[in-house]
Amino acid sequence: KMAGSSAPWIGSAYLFLQSTCKTIILPSLYESSQQKPSVFKALKLALADSTGSMNGVDMLKVHCSHPHLIVQLKFCKQENCRRFLQSYREGVLQKSLQYHLQISLAMTTVPLETELKAGNEHLDNMLKDEDRCLECIYREKPDRLRDEEITELEECLKSLILHQHINNNMPSKDCMSLNSPSLPSQGSSHSPQVTFLFQGQQFANRTLTPDDHQKFAKFVSKKWKQVGRSLQRSCRALRDPVIDNLALEYDREGLYEQAYQMLLRFIQSEGKKATIARLVAALEENGLTSLAEELLGLHSNDD
């Protein structure tokens, strides 16, 4: 958060990657169920190198648009975005990507061309003007939540790193057996409850939808913090400092935005495990039965 400002610094950009070697097609490698975790790992590590932190920049989605692999990036701090831009301008990010792809894919070399865009702006044409680049990225707010596939690949990578501490060089393909992002996910692996009980009725335990998200923010009012604290018991992303910081950061925007951002943290952190059952339980715990009924479609359409 910038000094003198209560609003967080959030921006978005697209990183375009293309191999200059005709035999290496990055989108095809990413579309391969066997190679996808390896490509993702290389992207994640190179981006971490560019900002100095695994959490310096967030990948929201990876698009396959032949011959390009397009990575949608989200920055939550101006200093992280500045570090990324410096790394990109100096060619450090490109070298890091080439190195990590070479190691992850077990190839001799992976020559790359990169391009960076924010909205309609081609940032490669203005890299010397860092403040202008920052302004373009800041203007482009992320238009989506993090893709579920990215969340699954992140979990897969964490498991892989954990196993590597125990067993020095575990092949990346073994990662697939831990939590395969390329295969249809079994409901039980994400939410053991296929259904849950509310007011004597059984309801499908689905993942939260954008409609749930908006209704929650609209109707929860001042109790959003209590609901957040109920959710935090099973969600590390909602520790007390996070909830308190959200209250401060979005104070001027009001209760809707505070509630929206709190649930957004939950959804982004938990992915497919951000289920309606967990939210309904938190609402019930805080006496918000009417809102739980609204989310489950038990109310008539008149507000």
Side-chain angles (χ1 to χ4, degrees):
K1 196 166 65 170
M2 296 300 290
S5 170
S6 62
W9 196 100
I10 294 174
S12 179
Y14 287 89
L15 178 63
F16 288 70
L17 305 172
Q18 180 183 357
S19 172
T20 53
C21 175
K22 288 181 181 178
T23 58
I24 300 172
I25 318 282
L26 289 178
S28 298
L29 288 170
Y30 192 80
E31 286 168 338
S32 155
S33 61
Q34 288 182 316
Q35 300 286 17
K36 182 176 289 192
S38 300
V39 177
F40 178 81
K41 179 185 174 185
L43 293 173
K44 185 76 178 170
L45 294 175
L47 289 169
D49 288 349
S50 75
T51 59
S53 164
M54 286 297 276
N55 301 314
V57 54
D58 197 11
M59 277 190 274
L60 297 183
K61 185 171 176 62
V62 177
H63 305 264
C64 293
S65 178
H66 292 261
H68 292 101
L69 198 63
I70 308 169
V71 188
Q72 188 174 2
L73 304 173
K74 176 186 175 184
F75 299 89
C76 289
K77 288 186 180 177
Q78 191 185 54
E79 50 266 43
N80 288 337
C81 189
R82 197 179 287 278
R83 281 195 210 105
F84 170 85
L85 284 169
Q86 288 167 353
S87 173
Y88 184 85
R89 184 179 65 240
E90 293 162 7
V92 175
L93 175 64
Q94 185 181 23
K95 286 177 184 172
S96 182
L97 279 165
Q98 288 174 334
Y99 170 77
H100 286 299
L101 284 167
Q102 182 183 330
I103 298 299
S104 293
L105 297 168
M107 292 181 173
T108 51
T109 180
V110 184
L112 284 180
E113 273 182 357
T114 60
E115 192 178 353
L116 191 63
K117 292 182 182 177
N120 295 323
E121 299 288 350
H122 291 247
L123 302 187
D124 299 74
N125 301 331
M126 58 177 89
L127 289 172
K128 288 181 182 177
D129 190 346
E130 193 169 282
D131 288 335
R132 190 177 163 204
C133 289
L134 283 167
E135 187 182 322
C136 291
I137 291 171
Y138 178 69
R139 263 203 319 262
E140 291 300 314
K141 300 303 180 196
D143 61 355
R144 63 176 300 120
L145 301 178
R146 184 162 61 169
D147 199 72
E148 285 179 354
E149 180 180 70
I150 298 291
T151 302
E152 291 176 1
L153 285 163
E154 292 247 6
E155 289 171 1
C156 178
L157 182 56
K158 283 176 192 168
S159 300
L160 174 61
I161 290 168
L162 184 69
H163 277 66
Q164 283 177 332
H165 281 306
I166 303 161
N167 184 7
N168 261 344
N169 242 340
M170 177 171 145
S172 59
K173 64 179 171 142
D174 288 0
C175 175
M176 298 299 290
S177 64
L178 297 170
N179 184 9
S180 172
S182 61
L183 301 172
S185 298
Q186 299 301 313
S188 58
S189 68
H190 288 282
S191 49
Q193 286 179 284
V194 178
T195 61
F196 68 101
L197 199 62
F198 176 75
Q199 294 183 346
Q201 292 185 52
Q202 292 283 345
F203 291 90
N205 188 20
R206 54 180 173 74
T207 303
L208 291 172
T209 66
D211 189 49
D212 297 329
H213 196 169
Q214 288 174 356
K215 280 182 181 175
F216 171 81
K218 183 178 177 182
F219 296 117
V220 70
S221 191
K222 293 178 182 178
K223 284 199 172 181
W224 71 267
K225 287 174 90 172
Q226 289 99 304
V227 176
R229 292 200 170 100
S230 294
L231 289 170
Q232 79 177 189
R233 289 199 291 270
S234 60
C235 176
R236 286 179 298 174
L238 291 177
R239 292 185 303 270
D240 267 326
V242 174
I243 292 173
D244 292 337
N245 287 343
L246 286 172
L248 288 170
E249 286 172 4
Y250 294 94
D251 181 47
R252 285 187 295 186
E253 284 86 347
L255 292 171
Y256 175 92
E257 193 61 28
Q258 289 171 330
Y260 187 91
Q261 292 296 329
M262 183 279 289
L263 196 61
L264 178 60
R265 297 293 191 284
F266 176 68
I267 291 167
Q268 287 180 328
S269 166
E270 299 297 293
K272 284 186 177 177
K273 289 183 274 188
T275 60
I276 190 71
R278 290 172 72 182
L279 183 56
V280 164
L283 292 171
E284 278 194 288
E285 189 177 312
N286 292 284
L288 294 164
T289 307
S290 181
L291 177 48
E293 291 171 349
E294 180 72 39
L295 294 177
L296 293 170
L298 296 177
H299 282 180
S300 58
N301 288 330
D302 51 312
D303 282 341

